[in-house]
Amino acid sequence: MAVAGYTNGTKYTLWTLRTLVVICLVIFFMLPVVWILTTSLAQRIAMFKLPPQLFSKPTWKNFSYIFTQMPVLTWTLNSLIISLGTMVLSLIIGVPAGYAFSRVNFTGKRLLLIVILLTRALPTIVIVLPFRVIMQSIGVLGTRFAVVLIDTVYNAAFTFWLMSGIFESIPEDLEEAARIDGCTPIQAFLLVAVPLSKPGLVTSALFAFIFSWNDFLFALTLTSPDTATLPLGMLSTYGVLQQGWTYMAAMGVVAIIPVVTLSLFLQRYYVSGLTFGGVK
Amino acid sequence: METDTTGFIKTKKNRSLMWFLVPITVYLLFFFLYPVIYDIYISFFDYRLGSQAQFVGFGNYRAMLNDSQYMGSLITTMVFVVAAVVAELVLGMIIALLLNNEHPLMQGIRTIILIPTVFTPLVAGLVWKALYHPDLGMYTYYLRKIGLDIGRGLTVERSSALFSVILVDVWEWTPLMVIVILAGLKSLPKDPYEAAMLDGASRLQIFFRITLPLLRPTLVVALLIRTLDALKIFDIIWAITGGGPGTTTTVANLRIYEVGMQHLKIGYAAALSNVLLVFGVIAGVFFVQSLYKGKEA
């Protein structure tokens, strides 16, 4: 945008101001990230120094400690199984439903949409108590499967919502053409619509994975010690080790690296997927 | 789309696709609607885990009205939601406008600024807890250094505890706002801007008369998602203050967790959560309405 009528001086001041604001914001958003990375590599003693030190002599000790002295691998594996399970189940349930929703008109369409939106409005705590009772009665309380089931309640609805927006933005003509060539509706969906919705699929999958990976409350209320996830493991460690920031940070790095890497790597899809699904 | 003749034909041809809606419907009936109905049912009972349930009618709801702890937590939740979501929206808008150009540096910032959003919330809570530590925390140290009176520490003082957890929520979710708004900005049509430029409109006029109205659907969706999620805030507060000092940061979700999971008063917890659900539904309906209104206009 052209800044008509401003003198060079004003322009310069504006530019400086803008740069300063951006720098402050970057510090605000990045400092906790830098802190956890450097703390995970810091000597324990460095934590007690004032002024606080962001950078000190790095060591791998924290990582070797948490992997040898704590069941971090088990926690990671539990987190991974639960997140992948949620991702797969959410896609299986949510994607076809989102497609049908964008292609068929039927009575009760609005109602279904509202019910599905309600899952997002539902306070997590509301569902946890009765869910515990249900899980207990079918005998899966404390298993990873129970967590997958509850994570999927929140996620399938989100996948459905996102995907119906994406499919809406894909013209129907291509599937029509495929049908004229003799495809069944299901073939048209699998062979034409699904490949075209790749950014949305990636976004949905990523969200399901992240959501489940980051979940704390459901895991807290539904797992047993054997099936505990990383966030739960972290919390138990933090409590025991009082000032054990370095171990906590190392474990935090283990907990955030997969999701951060994945999301940075898939950012292109993720961003375009968000707009498609969000706005329509 | 629904009203013309081709629409009718399309509907008939696609009827078989209705089967695709069966799994999600069954799933949500069983794992979503059933828990909600169970919650409503059990909220009329005095039910503690391990003992016989006793029907008490609206007793739990009456008790709630006199439960100053829960009422207080509802107010805390409202303050939290409004403050956090408004801050995220305003800050998100400012940052999106700042970053809305194709300079490589800005693209780089855009990439890394997204990191807080994918941070595991519990990890975020624990990291901020360390940064806020009353003696050794980095933020505490430098705030004191620049001469701010923060008492015994931001999270320890009653006056600043709620603010300090709101700040963490702002840190975690503003980037999402930024990304959604940026994407929305990119999809805006060019013509109104050219016309406004020709008319000699100022930057502020352009922003309030063109950008903001055009962004409305994007903003409504972002606000909807953030409001519903903020109503459910748990991890960050659990990790940083545990609801304290006193009850200054005890949001509704935390209180319900205490009642249900620690005191094991299931019936009462269900009543409390149903009230919270009503707030969520009101917020949801409000936003969806304004979304449709925006669409029809």
Side-chain angles (χ1 to χ4, degrees), chain A residues 101-146:
Chain A
F101 197 78
S102 77
R103 295 289 187 254
V104 194
N105 298 311
F106 55 93
T107 37
K109 198 169 169 175
R110 228 358 130 73
L111 184 73
L112 184 67
L113 189 67
I114 287 171
V115 169
I116 281 177
L117 244 163
L118 273 184
T119 59
R120 190 91 193 185
L122 190 72
T124 343
I125 205 84
V126 177
I127 204 171
V128 159
L129 295 168
F131 207 86
R132 256 184 82 100
V133 180
I134 302 176
M135 290 300 107
Q136 200 148 27
S137 65
I138 60 174
V140 294
L141 186 64
T143 66
R144 292 177 285 240
F145 183 58

Side-chain angles (χ1 to χ4, degrees), chain A residues 85-195:
Chain A
T86 305
M87 187 177 101
V88 171
L89 195 58
S90 298
L91 290 179
I92 290 177
I93 293 178
V95 175
Y99 177 73
F101 197 78
S102 77
R103 295 289 187 254
V104 194
N105 298 311
F106 55 93
T107 37
K109 198 169 169 175
R110 228 358 130 73
L111 184 73
L112 184 67
L113 189 67
I114 287 171
V115 169
I116 281 177
L117 244 163
L118 273 184
T119 59
R120 190 91 193 185
L122 190 72
T124 343
I125 205 84
V126 177
I127 204 171
V128 159
L129 295 168
F131 207 86
R132 256 184 82 100
V133 180
I134 302 176
M135 290 300 107
Q136 200 148 27
S137 65
I138 60 174
V140 294
L141 186 64
T143 66
R144 292 177 285 240
F145 183 58
V147 188
V148 169
L149 283 178
I150 198 168
D151 279 352
T152 305
V153 173
Y154 276 84
N155 241 292
F158 189 67
T159 306
F160 166 84
W161 199 27
L162 201 76
M163 290 311 293
S164 70
I166 304 271
F167 286 123
E168 199 106 21
S169 71
I170 297 174
E172 226 177 316
D173 310 0
L174 294 158
E175 291 137 62
E176 301 275 326
R179 295 242 205 121
I180 291 165
D181 290 344
C183 278
T184 65
I186 289 170
Q187 282 172 325
F189 162 68
L190 287 175
L191 301 174
V192 182
V194 166

Side-chain angles (χ1 to χ4, degrees), chain A residues 18 29 31 103 118 120 122 125-126 128 130 134 149 152 176 179 214 216 220-221 231 267 270 275 278, chain B residues 13-14 20 27 34 38-39 98 101 111 114 120 122 139 171 183 221 229 232 235 253 257 261 273 281:
Chain A
R18 190 186 162 124
F29 286 108
L31 194 97
R103 295 289 187 254
L118 273 184
R120 190 91 193 185
L122 190 72
I125 205 84
V126 177
V128 159
I134 302 176
L149 283 178
T152 305
E176 301 275 326
R179 295 242 205 121
N214 287 351
F216 169 64
L220 181 67
T221 46
Q267 202 175 30
Y270 169 21
T275 34
Chain B
K13 203 164 48 183
N14 288 347
F20 281 11
Y27 192 86
Y34 176 75
Y38 178 89
D39 243 329
L98 282 173
N101 75 49
T111 306
L114 206 66
T120 308
L122 186 78
Y139 288 168
W171 172 80
V221 170
D229 284 356
K232 297 186 294 203
D235 311 17
N253 233 351
Y257 181 85
M261 292 308 202
S273 34
V281 172

